[in-house]
Amino acid sequence: MTFTDLQIIEPILRAITAEGYTQPTPIQEQSIPILLKGKDLLGCAQTGTGKTAAFAIPILQHLFLDKKNFNGQRRIRALIVTPTRELAIQIGESFSAYGKFTGIRNTVIFGGVKQGSQTDILRKGVDILVATPGRLLDLIDQGYISLKDVEISVLDEADHMLDMGFVHDIKKIIAKLPAQRQSLFFSATMPPEIVELSKKILGNPEKVTIMPEQTTAEKVEQAVYFVGKKDKSRLLVHILNEKSYYSVLIFSRTKHGADKIAKSLEKAGIKSDAIHGNKSQGARQRTLDNFKKGKTHVLVATDIAARGIDVEELALVVNYDLPNVPETYIHRIGRTGRANAGGVALSFCDIEERPYLKDILKLIKQEIPVIENHPFVDESVEETPKSKAKPQRPNSQRKPESYGKNDKSFKKGRRKRPDTQNKR
Ligand code: AMP
């Protein structure tokens, strides 16, 4: 499949060739034809899949082919709402790159800076507006922006938006859009509140789901610890004290949990930082920078906050809580073992998380060795009959023995904790 096969027009083709794109990515291949037909789209995909071009190219193509004249004035005909300033800037740059031979103009607005230069550009007129929610509403209220001519709206990283507490802003923005429009909605995960929100925004959407690369799981050395919930923090301290890892990313399912983990590490004399949606953008950026530069070696994060973390040579990922969505496990462990470097991912599994582990094993189609020789082993996790493990999940066919005593990988002597070369 090529971009020509997708019926992309010449000025855009020329620009994406200049960007060095030879082939559409899977999300582009699936989404572009849907969007060029003017249909609504629900996209389950994360940043890094080529998602931006998947919506930017059809938007540019539509605006170029369906030129409108508002007495020589430009009006905002496409609106992209995205949670962070960094993402907004990145999206604006993509529109500029792919649209450089089309004459279509975009601008980016976000909070935390003075509005003057943003309103100057808006006054001159743009066709496409990329915005974070707060500043968008602010400039609408001040009369600098009208959304009445918007033909295409994109809500990007919807789960991230909710995590950052933007849900009311989003609803207000949606209420200001014309009813007659094409709507696109992207989210990396689809928890019930996201599905609910998407229903409010989309008509009868086509759905595109891009699964994360499953092969990532194969490059990463994985192990699971059966442990009681109350012993998890002591087990974590034990692991981090036993060996020095240069960079450790610990995943917590909740924001509150992330803070608690960081506190228990602090008590044990292990310096760490926590990053999640309750922290301000500035605080998160500083935490991330410190981690990237190696000033802090241990970072505790929720799944959504961890999305911007791109650290070369991340030595160890710890799943302090197992994710209830199995794909999330792959996202998490993919943080280590990048660029073919072998990484290590250790998971703590308490009795309630057993069903999650089963779903993960089913998805990755691999066994995960169980570490038995640690001081906080909770044998009941391994031995509890299926019926006692809560919460129960339907369709989990896998027998407990497949990662228990009869697990072949143990007999091959893989039961020891995986080793790493990294030093702290
Ligand atoms: P995104 O998921 O939109 O953040 O894109 C991830 C990265 O992939 C960006 O650096 C894009 O420039 C790049 N990219 C997007 N589409 C393609 C493509 N078809 N071929 C090569 N690179 C691409």
Side-chain angles (χ1 to χ4, degrees), residues 3 19-25 28 46-53 90 98:
F3 283 104
E19 286 297 300
Y21 301 179
T22 49
Q23 264 192 322
T25 65
Q28 292 160 7
Q46 58 174 192
T47 297
T49 51
K51 169 169 65 92
T52 315
Q90 220 168 292
Y98 313 143

mmCIF file with all atom_site columns, all heavy atoms in Angstrom, residues 3 19-25 28 46-53 90 98, ligand 1:
data_model
loop_
_atom_site.group_PDB
_atom_site.id
_atom_site.type_symbol
_atom_site.label_atom_id
_atom_site.label_alt_id
_atom_site.label_comp_id
_atom_site.label_asym_id
_atom_site.label_entity_id
_atom_site.label_seq_id
_atom_site.pdbx_PDB_ins_code
_atom_site.Cartn_x
_atom_site.Cartn_y
_atom_site.Cartn_z
_atom_site.occupancy
_atom_site.B_iso_or_equiv
_atom_site.pdbx_formal_charge
_atom_site.auth_seq_id
_atom_site.auth_comp_id
_atom_site.auth_asym_id
_atom_site.auth_atom_id
_atom_site.pdbx_PDB_model_num
ATOM   1   N N   . PHE A 1 3  ? 0.836  5.822  -0.424 1.00 0.00 ? 3  PHE A N   1
ATOM   2   C CA  . PHE A 1 3  ? -0.051 6.974  -0.214 1.00 0.00 ? 3  PHE A CA  1
ATOM   3   C C   . PHE A 1 3  ? -0.829 7.288  -1.491 1.00 0.00 ? 3  PHE A C   1
ATOM   4   O O   . PHE A 1 3  ? -1.943 7.802  -1.440 1.00 0.00 ? 3  PHE A O   1
ATOM   5   C CB  . PHE A 1 3  ? 0.751  8.188  0.254  1.00 0.00 ? 3  PHE A CB  1
ATOM   6   C CG  . PHE A 1 3  ? 1.137  8.116  1.709  1.00 0.00 ? 3  PHE A CG  1
ATOM   7   C CD1 . PHE A 1 3  ? 2.435  7.808  2.101  1.00 0.00 ? 3  PHE A CD1 1
ATOM   8   C CD2 . PHE A 1 3  ? 0.193  8.335  2.704  1.00 0.00 ? 3  PHE A CD2 1
ATOM   9   C CE1 . PHE A 1 3  ? 2.782  7.735  3.441  1.00 0.00 ? 3  PHE A CE1 1
ATOM   10  C CE2 . PHE A 1 3  ? 0.523  8.258  4.046  1.00 0.00 ? 3  PHE A CE2 1
ATOM   11  C CZ  . PHE A 1 3  ? 1.818  7.957  4.421  1.00 0.00 ? 3  PHE A CZ  1
ATOM   12  N N   . GLU A 1 19 ? 9.059  14.474 3.726  1.00 0.00 ? 19 GLU A N   1
ATOM   13  C CA  . GLU A 1 19 ? 9.235  14.070 5.134  1.00 0.00 ? 19 GLU A CA  1
ATOM   14  C C   . GLU A 1 19 ? 9.913  12.703 5.238  1.00 0.00 ? 19 GLU A C   1
ATOM   15  O O   . GLU A 1 19 ? 10.273 12.259 6.328  1.00 0.00 ? 19 GLU A O   1
ATOM   16  C CB  . GLU A 1 19 ? 7.865  13.963 5.837  1.00 0.00 ? 19 GLU A CB  1
ATOM   17  C CG  . GLU A 1 19 ? 7.227  15.291 6.159  1.00 0.00 ? 19 GLU A CG  1
ATOM   18  C CD  . GLU A 1 19 ? 8.044  16.117 7.132  1.00 0.00 ? 19 GLU A CD  1
ATOM   19  O OE1 . GLU A 1 19 ? 8.271  15.654 8.255  1.00 0.00 ? 19 GLU A OE1 1
ATOM   20  O OE2 . GLU A 1 19 ? 8.466  17.221 6.747  1.00 0.00 ? 19 GLU A OE2 1
ATOM   21  N N   . GLY A 1 20 ? 10.012 12.022 4.084  1.00 0.00 ? 20 GLY A N   1
ATOM   22  C CA  . GLY A 1 20 ? 10.652 10.705 4.078  1.00 0.00 ? 20 GLY A CA  1
ATOM   23  C C   . GLY A 1 20 ? 9.678  9.556  4.307  1.00 0.00 ? 20 GLY A C   1
ATOM   24  O O   . GLY A 1 20 ? 10.083 8.424  4.533  1.00 0.00 ? 20 GLY A O   1
ATOM   25  N N   . TYR A 1 21 ? 8.362  9.828  4.249  1.00 0.00 ? 21 TYR A N   1
ATOM   26  C CA  . TYR A 1 21 ? 7.395  8.748  4.433  1.00 0.00 ? 21 TYR A CA  1
ATOM   27  C C   . TYR A 1 21 ? 7.220  8.029  3.100  1.00 0.00 ? 21 TYR A C   1
ATOM   28  O O   . TYR A 1 21 ? 6.875  8.650  2.103  1.00 0.00 ? 21 TYR A O   1
ATOM   29  C CB  . TYR A 1 21 ? 6.011  9.264  4.853  1.00 0.00 ? 21 TYR A CB  1
ATOM   30  C CG  . TYR A 1 21 ? 5.943  10.058 6.134  1.00 0.00 ? 21 TYR A CG  1
ATOM   31  C CD1 . TYR A 1 21 ? 4.731  10.584 6.563  1.00 0.00 ? 21 TYR A CD1 1
ATOM   32  C CD2 . TYR A 1 21 ? 7.067  10.284 6.918  1.00 0.00 ? 21 TYR A CD2 1
ATOM   33  C CE1 . TYR A 1 21 ? 4.637  11.314 7.737  1.00 0.00 ? 21 TYR A CE1 1
ATOM   34  C CE2 . TYR A 1 21 ? 6.984  11.020 8.095  1.00 0.00 ? 21 TYR A CE2 1
ATOM   35  C CZ  . TYR A 1 21 ? 5.774  11.540 8.494  1.00 0.00 ? 21 TYR A CZ  1
ATOM   36  O OH  . TYR A 1 21 ? 5.683  12.268 9.652  1.00 0.00 ? 21 TYR A OH  1
ATOM   37  N N   . THR A 1 22 ? 7.461  6.746  3.077  1.00 0.00 ? 22 THR A N   1
ATOM   38  C CA  . THR A 1 22 ? 7.287  6.009  1.830  1.00 0.00 ? 22 THR A CA  1
ATOM   39  C C   . THR A 1 22 ? 5.998  5.205  1.844  1.00 0.00 ? 22 THR A C   1
ATOM   40  O O   . THR A 1 22 ? 5.355  5.002  0.819  1.00 0.00 ? 22 THR A O   1
ATOM   41  C CB  . THR A 1 22 ? 8.484  5.049  1.596  1.00 0.00 ? 22 THR A CB  1
ATOM   42  O OG1 . THR A 1 22 ? 8.693  4.316  2.797  1.00 0.00 ? 22 THR A OG1 1
ATOM   43  C CG2 . THR A 1 22 ? 9.740  5.820  1.235  1.00 0.00 ? 22 THR A CG2 1
ATOM   44  N N   . GLN A 1 23 ? 5.617  4.740  3.046  1.00 0.00 ? 23 GLN A N   1
ATOM   45  C CA  . GLN A 1 23 ? 4.432  3.877  3.168  1.00 0.00 ? 23 GLN A CA  1
ATOM   46  C C   . GLN A 1 23 ? 3.562  4.357  4.310  1.00 0.00 ? 23 GLN A C   1
ATOM   47  O O   . GLN A 1 23 ? 4.088  4.780  5.345  1.00 0.00 ? 23 GLN A O   1
ATOM   48  C CB  . GLN A 1 23 ? 4.908  2.481  3.553  1.00 0.00 ? 23 GLN A CB  1
ATOM   49  C CG  . GLN A 1 23 ? 5.063  1.545  2.396  1.00 0.00 ? 23 GLN A CG  1
ATOM   50  C CD  . GLN A 1 23 ? 5.247  0.136  2.942  1.00 0.00 ? 23 GLN A CD  1
ATOM   51  O OE1 . GLN A 1 23 ? 5.911  -0.063 3.955  1.00 0.00 ? 23 GLN A OE1 1
ATOM   52  N NE2 . GLN A 1 23 ? 4.662  -0.822 2.272  1.00 0.00 ? 23 GLN A NE2 1
ATOM   53  N N   . PRO A 1 24 ? 2.246  4.243  4.149  1.00 0.00 ? 24 PRO A N   1
ATOM   54  C CA  . PRO A 1 24 ? 1.400  4.603  5.302  1.00 0.00 ? 24 PRO A CA  1
ATOM   55  C C   . PRO A 1 24 ? 1.568  3.591  6.443  1.00 0.00 ? 24 PRO A C   1
ATOM   56  O O   . PRO A 1 24 ? 1.817  2.407  6.188  1.00 0.00 ? 24 PRO A O   1
ATOM   57  C CB  . PRO A 1 24 ? -0.021 4.530  4.736  1.00 0.00 ? 24 PRO A CB  1
ATOM   58  C CG  . PRO A 1 24 ? 0.065  3.902  3.400  1.00 0.00 ? 24 PRO A CG  1
ATOM   59  C CD  . PRO A 1 24 ? 1.483  3.842  2.967  1.00 0.00 ? 24 PRO A CD  1
ATOM   60  N N   . THR A 1 25 ? 1.447  4.054  7.659  1.00 0.00 ? 25 THR A N   1
ATOM   61  C CA  . THR A 1 25 ? 1.461  3.136  8.812  1.00 0.00 ? 25 THR A CA  1
ATOM   62  C C   . THR A 1 25 ? 0.070  2.493  8.900  1.00 0.00 ? 25 THR A C   1
ATOM   63  O O   . THR A 1 25 ? -0.880 2.986  8.267  1.00 0.00 ? 25 THR A O   1
ATOM   64  C CB  . THR A 1 25 ? 1.754  3.905  10.120 1.00 0.00 ? 25 THR A CB  1
ATOM   65  O OG1 . THR A 1 25 ? 0.672  4.796  10.377 1.00 0.00 ? 25 THR A OG1 1
ATOM   66  C CG2 . THR A 1 25 ? 3.049  4.688  10.048 1.00 0.00 ? 25 THR A CG2 1
ATOM   67  N N   . GLN A 1 28 ? -2.804 4.823  9.475  1.00 0.00 ? 28 GLN A N   1
ATOM   68  C CA  . GLN A 1 28 ? -3.048 5.696  8.320  1.00 0.00 ? 28 GLN A CA  1
ATOM   69  C C   . GLN A 1 28 ? -3.784 4.919  7.225  1.00 0.00 ? 28 GLN A C   1
ATOM   70  O O   . GLN A 1 28 ? -4.739 5.411  6.624  1.00 0.00 ? 28 GLN A O   1
ATOM   71  C CB  . GLN A 1 28 ? -1.721 6.250  7.800  1.00 0.00 ? 28 GLN A CB  1
ATOM   72  C CG  . GLN A 1 28 ? -1.076 7.224  8.784  1.00 0.00 ? 28 GLN A CG  1
ATOM   73  C CD  . GLN A 1 28 ? 0.402  7.437  8.567  1.00 0.00 ? 28 GLN A CD  1
ATOM   74  O OE1 . GLN A 1 28 ? 0.981  6.969  7.588  1.00 0.00 ? 28 GLN A OE1 1
ATOM   75  N NE2 . GLN A 1 28 ? 1.049  8.147  9.499  1.00 0.00 ? 28 GLN A NE2 1
ATOM   76  N N   . GLN A 1 46 ? -2.248 4.851  20.178 1.00 0.00 ? 46 GLN A N   1
ATOM   77  C CA  . GLN A 1 46 ? -1.478 5.800  20.968 1.00 0.00 ? 46 GLN A CA  1
ATOM   78  C C   . GLN A 1 46 ? -0.486 6.567  20.098 1.00 0.00 ? 46 GLN A C   1
ATOM   79  O O   . GLN A 1 46 ? -0.263 6.225  18.935 1.00 0.00 ? 46 GLN A O   1
ATOM   80  C CB  . GLN A 1 46 ? -0.788 5.106  22.127 1.00 0.00 ? 46 GLN A CB  1
ATOM   81  C CG  . GLN A 1 46 ? 0.136  4.004  21.718 1.00 0.00 ? 46 GLN A CG  1
ATOM   82  C CD  . GLN A 1 46 ? 0.904  3.464  22.908 1.00 0.00 ? 46 GLN A CD  1
ATOM   83  O OE1 . GLN A 1 46 ? 1.850  2.726  22.744 1.00 0.00 ? 46 GLN A OE1 1
ATOM   84  N NE2 . GLN A 1 46 ? 0.523  3.837  24.113 1.00 0.00 ? 46 GLN A NE2 1
ATOM   85  N N   . THR A 1 47 ? 0.087  7.609  20.692 1.00 0.00 ? 47 THR A N   1
ATOM   86  C CA  . THR A 1 47 ? 1.096  8.397  19.997 1.00 0.00 ? 47 THR A CA  1
ATOM   87  C C   . THR A 1 47 ? 2.261  7.481  19.635 1.00 0.00 ? 47 THR A C   1
ATOM   88  O O   . THR A 1 47 ? 2.622  6.607  20.412 1.00 0.00 ? 47 THR A O   1
ATOM   89  C CB  . THR A 1 47 ? 1.547  9.546  20.924 1.00 0.00 ? 47 THR A CB  1
ATOM   90  O OG1 . THR A 1 47 ? 0.411  10.356 21.157 1.00 0.00 ? 47 THR A OG1 1
ATOM   91  C CG2 . THR A 1 47 ? 2.637  10.381 20.306 1.00 0.00 ? 47 THR A CG2 1
ATOM   92  N N   . GLY A 1 48 ? 2.816  7.712  18.452 1.00 0.00 ? 48 GLY A N   1
ATOM   93  C CA  . GLY A 1 48 ? 3.913  6.857  18.007 1.00 0.00 ? 48 GLY A CA  1
ATOM   94  C C   . GLY A 1 48 ? 3.473  5.915  16.895 1.00 0.00 ? 48 GLY A C   1
ATOM   95  O O   . GLY A 1 48 ? 4.289  5.273  16.246 1.00 0.00 ? 48 GLY A O   1
ATOM   96  N N   . THR A 1 49 ? 2.175  5.857  16.642 1.00 0.00 ? 49 THR A N   1
ATOM   97  C CA  . THR A 1 49 ? 1.655  4.953  15.602 1.00 0.00 ? 49 THR A CA  1
ATOM   98  C C   . THR A 1 49 ? 1.520  5.665  14.250 1.00 0.00 ? 49 THR A C   1
ATOM   99  O O   . THR A 1 49 ? 1.200  5.041  13.250 1.00 0.00 ? 49 THR A O   1
ATOM   100 C CB  . THR A 1 49 ? 0.255  4.437  15.996 1.00 0.00 ? 49 THR A CB  1
ATOM   101 O OG1 . THR A 1 49 ? -0.560 5.572  16.341 1.00 0.00 ? 49 THR A OG1 1
ATOM   102 C CG2 . THR A 1 49 ? 0.310  3.496  17.171 1.00 0.00 ? 49 THR A CG2 1
ATOM   103 N N   . GLY A 1 50 ? 1.727  6.986  14.248 1.00 0.00 ? 50 GLY A N   1
ATOM   104 C CA  . GLY A 1 50 ? 1.499  7.749  13.024 1.00 0.00 ? 50 GLY A CA  1
ATOM   105 C C   . GLY A 1 50 ? 0.087  8.324  13.006 1.00 0.00 ? 50 GLY A C   1
ATOM   106 O O   . GLY A 1 50 ? -0.446 8.718  11.968 1.00 0.00 ? 50 GLY A O   1
ATOM   107 N N   . LYS A 1 51 ? -0.482 8.409  14.201 1.00 0.00 ? 51 LYS A N   1
ATOM   108 C CA  . LYS A 1 51 ? -1.858 8.884  14.371 1.00 0.00 ? 51 LYS A CA  1
ATOM   109 C C   . LYS A 1 51 ? -2.056 10.311 13.852 1.00 0.00 ? 51 LYS A C   1
ATOM   110 O O   . LYS A 1 51 ? -3.082 10.611 13.243 1.00 0.00 ? 51 LYS A O   1
ATOM   111 C CB  . LYS A 1 51 ? -2.138 8.792  15.874 1.00 0.00 ? 51 LYS A CB  1
ATOM   112 C CG  . LYS A 1 51 ? -3.361 9.434  16.393 1.00 0.00 ? 51 LYS A CG  1
ATOM   113 C CD  . LYS A 1 51 ? -3.559 8.986  17.830 1.00 0.00 ? 51 LYS A CD  1
ATOM   114 C CE  . LYS A 1 51 ? -2.496 9.446  18.794 1.00 0.00 ? 51 LYS A CE  1
ATOM   115 N NZ  . LYS A 1 51 ? -2.758 10.710 19.479 1.00 0.00 ? 51 LYS A NZ  1
ATOM   116 N N   . THR A 1 52 ? -1.076 11.177 14.072 1.00 0.00 ? 52 THR A N   1
ATOM   117 C CA  . THR A 1 52 ? -1.251 12.573 13.670 1.00 0.00 ? 52 THR A CA  1
ATOM   118 C C   . THR A 1 52 ? -1.457 12.699 12.166 1.00 0.00 ? 52 THR A C   1
ATOM   119 O O   . THR A 1 52 ? -2.397 13.361 11.713 1.00 0.00 ? 52 THR A O   1
ATOM   120 C CB  . THR A 1 52 ? -0.035 13.418 14.107 1.00 0.00 ? 52 THR A CB  1
ATOM   121 O OG1 . THR A 1 52 ? 0.287  13.071 15.441 1.00 0.00 ? 52 THR A OG1 1
ATOM   122 C CG2 . THR A 1 52 ? -0.316 14.897 14.003 1.00 0.00 ? 52 THR A CG2 1
ATOM   123 N N   . ALA A 1 53 ? -0.590 12.040 11.395 1.00 0.00 ? 53 ALA A N   1
ATOM   124 C CA  . ALA A 1 53 ? -0.745 12.110 9.938  1.00 0.00 ? 53 ALA A CA  1
ATOM   125 C C   . ALA A 1 53 ? -2.059 11.445 9.510  1.00 0.00 ? 53 ALA A C   1
ATOM   126 O O   . ALA A 1 53 ? -2.669 11.855 8.519  1.00 0.00 ? 53 ALA A O   1
ATOM   127 C CB  . ALA A 1 53 ? 0.435  11.434 9.246  1.00 0.00 ? 53 ALA A CB  1
ATOM   128 N N   . GLN A 1 90 ? 3.517  19.730 18.568 1.00 0.00 ? 90 GLN A N   1
ATOM   129 C CA  . GLN A 1 90 ? 3.870  18.649 17.642 1.00 0.00 ? 90 GLN A CA  1
ATOM   130 C C   . GLN A 1 90 ? 2.830  18.505 16.524 1.00 0.00 ? 90 GLN A C   1
ATOM   131 O O   . GLN A 1 90 ? 3.182  18.332 15.366 1.00 0.00 ? 90 GLN A O   1
ATOM   132 C CB  . GLN A 1 90 ? 3.890  17.362 18.455 1.00 0.00 ? 90 GLN A CB  1
ATOM   133 C CG  . GLN A 1 90 ? 4.998  16.397 18.126 1.00 0.00 ? 90 GLN A CG  1
ATOM   134 C CD  . GLN A 1 90 ? 5.027  15.333 19.219 1.00 0.00 ? 90 GLN A CD  1
ATOM   135 O OE1 . GLN A 1 90 ? 5.368  15.608 20.368 1.00 0.00 ? 90 GLN A OE1 1
ATOM   136 N NE2 . GLN A 1 90 ? 4.606  14.130 18.888 1.00 0.00 ? 90 GLN A NE2 1
ATOM   137 N N   . TYR A 1 98 ? 2.991  18.696 6.445  1.00 0.00 ? 98 TYR A N   1
ATOM   138 C CA  . TYR A 1 98 ? 2.218  17.998 5.404  1.00 0.00 ? 98 TYR A CA  1
ATOM   139 C C   . TYR A 1 98 ? 1.462  18.992 4.507  1.00 0.00 ? 98 TYR A C   1
ATOM   140 O O   . TYR A 1 98 ? 1.113  18.671 3.372  1.00 0.00 ? 98 TYR A O   1
ATOM   141 C CB  . TYR A 1 98 ? 1.197  17.015 6.001  1.00 0.00 ? 98 TYR A CB  1
ATOM   142 C CG  . TYR A 1 98 ? 1.734  16.099 7.089  1.00 0.00 ? 98 TYR A CG  1
ATOM   143 C CD1 . TYR A 1 98 ? 0.962  15.742 8.188  1.00 0.00 ? 98 TYR A CD1 1
ATOM   144 C CD2 . TYR A 1 98 ? 3.032  15.584 7.005  1.00 0.00 ? 98 TYR A CD2 1
ATOM   145 C CE1 . TYR A 1 98 ? 1.458  14.910 9.187  1.00 0.00 ? 98 TYR A CE1 1
ATOM   146 C CE2 . TYR A 1 98 ? 3.538  14.754 8.014  1.00 0.00 ? 98 TYR A CE2 1
ATOM   147 C CZ  . TYR A 1 98 ? 2.739  14.430 9.096  1.00 0.00 ? 98 TYR A CZ  1
ATOM   148 O OH  . TYR A 1 98 ? 3.231  13.616 10.090 1.00 0.00 ? 98 TYR A OH  1
HETATM 149 P P1  . AMP B 2 .  ? 2.584  10.155 15.779 1.00 0.00 ? 1  AMP B P1  1
HETATM 150 O O1  . AMP B 2 .  ? 2.008  8.852  16.253 1.00 0.00 ? 1  AMP B O1  1
HETATM 151 O O2  . AMP B 2 .  ? 1.631  10.908 14.961 1.00 0.00 ? 1  AMP B O2  1
HETATM 152 O O3  . AMP B 2 .  ? 3.155  10.953 16.918 1.00 0.00 ? 1  AMP B O3  1
HETATM 153 O O4  . AMP B 2 .  ? 3.824  9.813  14.808 1.00 0.00 ? 1  AMP B O4  1
HETATM 154 C C1  . AMP B 2 .  ? 4.974  9.160  15.246 1.00 0.00 ? 1  AMP B C1  1
HETATM 155 C C2  . AMP B 2 .  ? 6.159  9.416  14.345 1.00 0.00 ? 1  AMP B C2  1
HETATM 156 O O5  . AMP B 2 .  ? 6.037  8.682  13.130 1.00 0.00 ? 1  AMP B O5  1
HETATM 157 C C3  . AMP B 2 .  ? 6.358  10.870 13.956 1.00 0.00 ? 1  AMP B C3  1
HETATM 158 O O6  . AMP B 2 .  ? 7.712  11.185 14.151 1.00 0.00 ? 1  AMP B O6  1
HETATM 159 C C4  . AMP B 2 .  ? 6.017  10.912 12.469 1.00 0.00 ? 1  AMP B C4  1
HETATM 160 O O7  . AMP B 2 .  ? 6.796  11.865 11.792 1.00 0.00 ? 1  AMP B O7  1
HETATM 161 C C5  . AMP B 2 .  ? 6.338  9.515  11.997 1.00 0.00 ? 1  AMP B C5  1
HETATM 162 N N1  . AMP B 2 .  ? 5.503  9.042  10.890 1.00 0.00 ? 1  AMP B N1  1
HETATM 163 C C6  . AMP B 2 .  ? 4.163  9.192  10.752 1.00 0.00 ? 1  AMP B C6  1
HETATM 164 N N2  . AMP B 2 .  ? 3.729  8.594  9.640  1.00 0.00 ? 1  AMP B N2  1
HETATM 165 C C7  . AMP B 2 .  ? 4.798  8.017  9.041  1.00 0.00 ? 1  AMP B C7  1
HETATM 166 C C8  . AMP B 2 .  ? 4.986  7.245  7.843  1.00 0.00 ? 1  AMP B C8  1
HETATM 167 N N3  . AMP B 2 .  ? 3.971  6.911  7.059  1.00 0.00 ? 1  AMP B N3  1
HETATM 168 N N4  . AMP B 2 .  ? 6.235  6.846  7.549  1.00 0.00 ? 1  AMP B N4  1
HETATM 169 C C9  . AMP B 2 .  ? 7.270  7.163  8.381  1.00 0.00 ? 1  AMP B C9  1
HETATM 170 N N5  . AMP B 2 .  ? 7.169  7.879  9.505  1.00 0.00 ? 1  AMP B N5  1
HETATM 171 C C10 . AMP B 2 .  ? 5.942  8.308  9.850  1.00 0.00 ? 1  AMP B C10 1
#
